[in-house]
Amino acid sequence: GAGVSQTPSNKVTEKGKYVELRCDPISGHTALYWYRQSLGQGPEFLIYFQGTGAADDSGLPNDRFFAVRPEGSVSTLKIQRTERGDSAVYLCASSLSSSYNEQFFGPGTRLTVL
Amino acid sequence: KQEVTQIPAALSVPEGENLVLNCSFTDSAIYNLQWFRQDPGKGLTSLLLIQSSQREQTSGRLNASLDKSSGRSTLYIAASQPGDSATYLCAPEYGNKLVFGAGTILRVKS
């Protein structure tokens, strides 16, 4: 596709459940990023992939959060034992490479934990 | 800790005005700096990227300047239009990680 796509656009789940959020980066982009945005705030960095490997996961809040990118394209953000505080918009971005870093964002997935 | 502050938090102007949005960052060791706009309920649209070695970057009615040593960037919007109404976010980059301010909410009245 022409831009970064994310599915689902909205996800409602119950406290304690497991969720997966998917990101399809721009074709040919080797770098992929996940951010989280709470209401009224700017996005906060979660994790960065260069190819298949997580080059920087320093923003993941705890071990309930995990992300993969097994073939160096699509990425999945996985959240175990969801908590109400996990409710936010999860944004994915991609860039052409790690040396030219203009990041292009997808529309986000709005996660609501009841 | 790397922090980004954007001033003003909100701005309401009549159509046609030129305006300035300010961004300051505490850690000047940036690689690049991006400006984005975000429409309500939408993702971020990249407006401009300034490399750390550049002083400014222009795209249409937008001009962004960067003073890396003093930790400041400014976004200048010329001849504002109602379609410019959105939240504008500044994000310096540190090692592939963007650090965002809370944004400036801009409303341009027709």
Side-chain angles (χ1 to χ4, degrees):
Chain A
V4 178
S5 61
Q6 293 186 244
T7 55
S9 55
N10 281 283
K11 176 70 177 179
V12 180
T13 191
E14 295 179 344
K15 180 175 178 294
K17 299 290 188 182
Y18 167 83
V19 297
E20 289 189 351
L21 312 179
R22 175 188 168 107
C23 172
D24 276 276
I26 293 172
S27 178
H29 280 196
T30 62
L32 185 145
Y33 315 80
W34 284 98
Y35 294 82
R36 178 168 72 171
Q37 186 175 26
S38 300
L39 193 64
Q41 299 180 21
E44 292 181 307
F45 171 81
L46 295 176
I47 187 169
Y48 152 61
F49 287 90
Q50 180 55 48
T52 61
D56 182 354
D57 64 358
S58 62
L60 295 177
N62 52 59
D63 61 6
R64 295 186 298 105
F65 288 75
F66 189 70
V68 296
R69 195 186 185 200
E71 298 178 357
S73 178
V74 170
S75 176
T76 304
L77 179 65
K78 308 181 181 193
I79 310 174
Q80 299 177 323
R81 304 183 304 280
T82 52
E83 300 178 356
R84 291 192 181 87
D86 298 335
S87 296
V89 175
Y90 289 80
L91 295 164
C92 177
S94 68
S95 65
L96 189 60
S97 70
S98 60
S99 57
Y100 184 72
N101 288 338
E102 184 172 10
Q103 295 187 24
F104 297 91
F105 280 75
T109 293
R110 181 175 299 278
L111 175 65
T112 303
V113 182
L114 301 176
Chain B
K1 184 181 177 184
Q2 296 153 342
E3 295 182 344
V4 179
T5 302
Q6 291 190 243
I7 295 173
L11 184 61
S12 182
V13 300
E15 182 177 5
E17 278 205 4
N18 302 323
L19 49 97
V20 174
L21 308 182
N22 296 291
C23 171
S24 61
F25 43 96
T26 55
D27 184 348
S28 62
I30 67 171
Y31 285 73
N32 305 307
L33 185 143
Q34 275 187 264
W35 281 92
F36 295 88
R37 70 173 278 167
Q38 186 172 33
D39 295 283
K42 305 292 184 182
L44 279 64
T45 301
S46 179
L47 297 173
L48 290 163
L49 178 144
I50 312 177
Q51 306 272 3
S52 60
S53 58
Q54 295 178 315
R55 297 286 292 182
E56 66 179 275
Q57 191 69 256
T58 298
S59 176
R61 294 183 294 108
L62 305 179
N63 175 276
S65 67
L66 174 64
D67 184 343
K68 181 181 170 183
S69 60
S70 67
R72 296 181 186 277
S73 179
T74 297
L75 181 67
Y76 176 83
I77 303 177
S80 58
Q81 302 171 358
D84 294 331
S85 298
T87 297
Y88 289 79
L89 294 157
C90 162
E93 182 208 330
Y94 301 95
N96 299 107
K97 173 180 73 174
L98 294 178
V99 176
F100 286 85
T104 294
I105 301 171
L106 173 64
R107 180 184 171 215
V108 181
K109 298 172 287 186
S110 56

